[in-house]
Every structure is written in structure tokens, then in C-alpha cells.
Amino acid sequence: MTSPSEAAISPQDAEKSVIQPNAKEFPLPSSPSASSASSITEKPQPSWPWKITAVVLVTLIRFGGSWSAGLTGVMKSTLKKQLHINNTQYALLEASEDFIITVLILFSGLLTDRLGGAGALFYGNIIYSIGSILVAAAAQVRSFKFMIGGRVILAIGDISTQIAQYQVFSSWFAPNNGFGSTLGLELMVQKLGALAGTGSANVIAANTGDFAWVYWIAVFINFFTNIISAIFFWFNKKTSDKFGHSVDPVTGEKLMKKAKKLEVRKVLELPWVFWVIMAYSLFTTSTAVIFKGNATELAEKRFKISSVTAGWYSALLQYAGFFLVPVIGVLIDVLGQRITLMVTCGFGTFIAMALVNWASTVSGTAAAFGVYAIVSTYSPTAIIDSMRTSLWQQTTFGTAYSLKIMMNNSINIIVRIVAGVIQDADNDSYNHVVILYVCLAVASMAVSCVMMLFCYLSVDFRSLQWSRKKRFASKDILAERKKVFFGENASRNQLVSKSAFCLLIVLLLGGWASYIWGAVTGHND
């Protein structure tokens, strides 16, 4: 591991002085030779038509979940009126899903790495559909407590599918060799599903006269998702019989569909680069969640428009740039520049939140929506791809991504509860709660500056900027850095990872405490 404290030697000189690793001491192939391929499997690697088919099926699976994901946020005003709840109770409703995710997500990540993503997608979608039925029933009978229970079941299914989809991609594609492109395509379809769901929600509620129909239609969409997940489950078994593992063309690592055994210790052996990206995601994603969750109501109040029109404004804010997402994925695969994209998003998010806070006019809020719609387009792709690229072992990706979800949902619980209390104390206005948005955006921008610094100080961090051509040319550097990570720097790396994990547990406990406080103080009556 290279850290800022090791910067006495120029990173450029360090790259030039890399020594070719001894194969006897460090059995890491720098390229997939014939011998390494034969040791992996006698079967050929999956061909591109099969890979593309897998990508299409997985992206369609997430369409149904994405349709349902943003419904609560876009229906905030309607839910508050129909269920007779305040902002703090509404925050508790959303936080219920975050809470159950934080409880189960790490175990789900470890299990997905061990058992593979196809089964997790299939069974997770069945549970998700059951949860969506319960949420729709709760809306039908206008029961706040029932809806919380339904969202908890829904979240259990969502836990499996969130991790499994990206674990599947990591087992088919390597960094700079298709992973970013497939990730971008999946996120585009995810945005399309969310756009369709959030954009039509208030229209359906207004035209049917009953907002419960919004959730029943989501149930029908999820039935379609279950059919696709069953097809992919069968397809995955066929490919396992017909083909061997895909191979990273740079490192020679075989990309496994599932690990050979359940390894809890790998949670404490993640690279320091991964944890820096986690810090960036902590503030950027929490800003996005709290802003998107309140965007529809904010538009209603600032623009003085109906909930139907505000719903379309909110949908455009979040999903208008869907067509750019796969382009960003391809650019990351070919050109790299992951840190550049994240830094741009960090500064852009701050500009948008500053406009929301200090330019509360119609034109100022519209400008904030426009800026955020642009920068939020590529942030998830850059974050997830950077996390995958920072890992030395592909079989740890499911676990690593589960830590990201656990962290994001823990901070989301805290931020949502706090924001709800602030807004209730401010007579349901957005005059003071937007200060919280700005604080989160400032933190995101600060981490962005730290990442820019690390690009100059550390070859490990700078490798996230590498293009496909540069990564192929630097296979010896990657081999040496992996040897150092698991060799002479192993104890230091474990100390850093353990310390970061302990801080994550503190955040997790803070999220639980916030949720329990929201429930115990009587806001769910």
C-alpha cells in the first residue's frame, strides 16, 4: 500500500523502478498465458454474445425495483395527507427500509460472494415482490404502521438484488474491460425505471382518485421482474455448464461467479484506497438521498405548482440525463479518469446545494435542479467502478459493495431523521433544513480535494485514473503493488482496514440509535 507518508520518493520514479516479480515467490500472472488459462479450466471463456445477453437480463431485472424505489419520495405530500403523518413520521417511514438494510446487508454481501449472484437475484426478487404487495395493501387501508412493515419486507428483497447485480457484472467483466460499460447500461435502465415510476406516480394518483393504485401498478411491474430473474437463473446455469471463468486480461485473475468458501476476514483486508472512496460516497450519496427524497415537495413549495407537475420536475431532476450514463461507463472503460469524474461531481453538488440554500427564488431553485441533474448523472458509475478497480481480489466485491450500502443507509437514517425534525420545527418549510444539505455537500467537496492530492502522492490511488491502454502497459506495476499489499505492507493494511471498519460500526450504531429514537419518541402513533 502506498500512502501519503511514503511520498518522499517521487511516484513517477517509483513507477519506473518497479521490479518484475519472481513467479516462484509471487504466483500472480501478469497476463493470461496458455498455462494459466489451462489451470483455470478446460472450457473456453464466455463469448461476447453470451456476456451481452447476461447484461441485458440483469438490467431488465433491476427495472422493476427501480420503478418502486422512488415512489415514497415523490408521493411525500400525498402520504403525509392520506396517512395523517408529519415530516418526522415520514422520515421514519423511509428510515425503516434503511434500518433493516443496515442490519442484514453485510451478511448478504458475504453470502452473495460465496453463493453467487444469480440465485440471490432470483430469490431476492420474490421477497421484494411480496414486500411490494404489502406496501400496496397498506396504502389501500391507509395504515402507516402496516406500510412500515411492508417496506421492511421489501427492503429484505432489495438487499439481495442490489449486491447481486454488481457481483454478477464483476464475474463477467474486468476493470477497463467492460465493467464500466455494463455498469453504465444497467444504471441507465435503472434511471429509466425510476423515471417512469416517479413521473407517473402523481398522475396515476390524480386520475384514479386513489393513491394506492400507484403501489399496485408497481406490484404488476415486479411480476415482470420475477419472470426475467427466473430466465436469468436458468441462463446462468447454462453458461456455467458451457463456459469457464472470464479472465482479467491484465492481471490474469480469474473472475469467479462465487468464492470457494465464506471468508469473514476479508472484510478487514480491504485496501485503503477503497476506504477513501467510501468516505467520498458517505457524503455524496447522503446528499443525493436527502435532496432527491424531498425534491418533489421542495418544487411544490418553491415553484408553487401542483404535486403532479412537481413530480415531473423531480423526475427530470433525477433521471433526465439517463442517456449519458452508458456513455460515461464506456469512457471510464476506455479513458479511466474516475477521480476526475468524482471530483467534478463533488464540486457540482456543492454548487447545487448552495443555490438551493442561498438562491431560494424560482430561478435559483431551477438552476440548482439543472446543475444537480447533470452532476448526479455520472457519480454512481464512477463510485462503483472505482470501488471495483481498487480491489485486488474480485471475489471480495460483493462484500465490499455491501459495506458501501451499509454505510450509506446508516448515514441516511441519521440525516433523514434530523432533517424531518428540523423541518417540523420550522413549520414545514425548507428555510433551515437546506443548511443541512449544504453541510453534507461541503464535506463531499472536501473529500474530493483530498482525493486529488492522493492522485499525486500514491500510485495505488493514481491507478484509478488509468486508461485501458495505460492499465495494459502497467501490468508489472500492478503485480508489484499487489505483492507489496499482501506481503511487506500486509499488517499495516490490515490496521488501516480494521480502523476504518470500526468507524463504520460506530456510524452503524448511530444510525440504529437515530431510528430507535424516532420510534420511541412517539412519532409512529
Side-chain angles (χ1 to χ4, degrees):
M1 177 180 73
T2 303
S3 64
S5 62
E6 300 172 279
I9 300 177
S10 165
Q12 288 75 18
D13 293 338
E15 292 182 21
K16 293 177 182 177
S17 62
V18 169
I19 302 174
Q20 176 69 26
N22 190 313
K24 295 181 180 179
E25 298 177 358
F26 183 59
L28 174 72
S30 60
S31 63
S33 63
S35 60
S36 64
S38 62
S39 66
I40 293 172
T41 179
E42 295 298 328
K43 299 177 183 178
Q45 294 186 48
S47 59
W48 277 100
W50 287 78
K51 289 184 176 182
I52 293 172
T53 302
V55 171
V56 171
L57 290 173
V58 173
T59 53
L60 289 176
I61 289 171
R62 284 299 296 169
F63 181 86
S66 302
W67 181 292
S68 305
L71 294 182
T72 302
V74 79
M75 295 291 291
K76 180 178 180 179
S77 295
T78 303
L79 287 172
K80 284 162 58 177
K81 293 174 184 176
Q82 296 291 334
L83 300 181
H84 306 292
I85 59 176
N86 58 28
N87 287 293
T88 307
Q89 288 173 296
Y90 170 82
L92 188 65
L93 177 65
E94 289 214 308
S96 298
E97 190 171 339
D98 292 329
F99 176 75
I100 195 64
I101 288 175
T102 61
V103 173
L104 299 175
I105 192 67
L106 180 57
F107 175 74
S108 177
L110 289 166
L111 204 60
T112 301
D113 274 339
R114 174 63 186 91
L115 302 179
L121 278 172
F122 177 66
Y123 295 110
N125 271 293
I126 293 175
I127 298 173
Y128 192 91
S129 295
I130 294 172
S132 67
I133 292 172
L134 295 177
V135 170
Q140 191 72 52
V141 300
R142 309 296 195 266
S143 172
F144 172 62
K145 291 182 179 180
F146 189 8
M147 184 168 285
I148 287 181
R151 284 181 67 88
V152 167
I153 301 299
L154 188 146
I156 293 174
D158 195 40
I159 289 169
S160 302
T161 58
Q162 279 191 59
I163 299 173
Q165 61 180 341
Y166 299 131
Q167 196 273 348
V168 167
F169 288 157
S170 73
S171 67
W172 287 76
F173 303 96
N176 288 106
N177 196 53
F179 183 77
S181 303
T182 56
L183 183 64
L185 179 63
E186 189 276 338
L187 289 171
M188 181 192 72
V189 175
Q190 192 176 123
K191 282 180 175 290
L192 282 173
L195 174 62
T198 57
S200 63
N202 282 295
V203 176
I204 294 170
N207 290 338
T208 61
D210 186 353
F211 82 101
W213 273 108
V214 173
Y215 295 97
W216 284 119
I217 290 176
V219 171
F220 301 146
I221 297 296
N222 279 311
F223 285 159
F224 163 78
T225 301
N226 282 320
I227 295 172
I228 301 299
S229 63
I231 294 173
F232 178 73
F233 187 74
W234 169 83
F235 175 83
N236 188 68
K237 292 185 69 174
K238 292 289 290 184
T239 56
S240 297
D241 294 338
K242 185 178 180 65
F243 299 106
H245 298 291
S246 296
V247 175
D248 186 332
V250 174
T251 65
E253 179 188 16
K254 58 180 179 180
L255 307 180
M256 306 288 291
K257 292 184 178 180
K258 56 184 179 181
K260 294 181 179 179
K261 60 182 179 178
L262 188 65
E263 297 179 283
V264 180
R265 64 177 177 79
K266 63 187 178 184
V267 176
L268 305 177
E269 297 178 352
L270 295 169
W272 71 275
V273 176
F274 167 81
W275 290 108
V276 175
I277 300 168
M278 285 276 281
Y280 172 82
S281 176
L282 172 68
F283 299 111
T284 303
T285 305
S286 60
T287 306
V289 168
I290 189 67
F291 183 55
K292 290 178 180 180
N294 294 288
T296 300
E297 187 177 60
L298 177 63
E300 286 183 60
K301 293 180 179 293
R302 292 277 178 92
F303 299 151
K304 296 183 176 14
I305 54 179
S306 68
S307 59
V308 174
T309 307
W312 281 110
Y313 273 69
S314 175
L316 289 173
L317 158 72
Q318 299 177 57
Y319 313 115
F322 69 88
F323 58 91
L324 292 175
V325 182
V327 176
I328 295 297
V330 172
L331 290 177
I332 289 176
D333 267 342
V334 177
L335 302 177
Q337 301 301 316
R338 300 169 181 86
I339 303 303
T340 302
L341 290 171
M342 288 190 284
V343 168
T344 304
C345 179
F347 279 83
T349 299
F350 169 73
I351 293 172
M353 297 305 105
L355 288 170
V356 169
N357 185 43
W358 288 297
S360 57
T361 61
V362 171
S363 58
T365 304
F369 275 40
V371 171
Y372 189 79
I374 296 173
V375 298
S376 64
T377 297
Y378 51 80
S379 178
T381 309
I383 291 174
I384 298 171
D385 190 272
S386 296
M387 288 182 168
R388 167 64 187 96
T389 306
S390 71
L391 301 177
W392 294 115
Q393 294 177 309
Q394 173 263 334
T395 52
T396 64
F397 182 63
T399 303
Y401 189 70
S402 71
L403 292 177
K404 174 189 180 300
I405 298 176
M406 184 173 76
M407 176 193 69
N408 288 147
N409 282 274
S410 297
I411 190 66
N412 290 347
I413 293 172
I414 298 171
V415 169
R416 279 170 168 161
I417 296 292
V418 171
V421 171
I422 293 173
Q423 195 172 356
D424 279 338
D426 196 28
N427 197 28
D428 201 28
S429 77
Y430 280 86
N431 294 330
H432 294 109
V433 73
V434 290
I435 298 174
L436 178 62
Y437 302 177
V438 175
C439 292
L440 292 170
V442 168
S444 174
M445 186 172 61
V447 178
S448 297
C449 294
V450 173
M451 291 197 300
M452 284 193 295
L453 179 63
F454 281 165
C455 279
Y456 291 98
L457 298 177
S458 168
V459 62
D460 289 342
F461 213 88
R462 189 163 55 255
S463 65
L464 298 179
Q465 291 285 77
W466 288 351
S467 65
R468 177 184 296 172
K469 182 178 180 181
K470 173 66 174 176
R471 191 167 185 268
F472 269 82
S474 305
K475 59 178 65 176
D476 292 342
I477 296 175
L478 291 174
E480 176 66 14
R481 295 310 304 160
K482 182 173 182 178
K483 178 182 177 181
V484 170
F485 179 84
F486 288 107
E488 61 188 80
N489 285 345
S491 58
R492 186 192 311 170
N493 294 328
Q494 290 179 10
L495 177 62
V496 171
S497 191
K498 288 177 182 178
S499 300
F501 184 74
C502 288
L503 291 175
L504 180 57
I505 294 301
V506 172
L507 178 65
L508 174 66
L509 295 176
W512 288 358
S514 298
Y515 179 81
I516 294 170
W517 176 87
V520 170
T521 52
H523 295 298
N524 59 342
D525 293 334

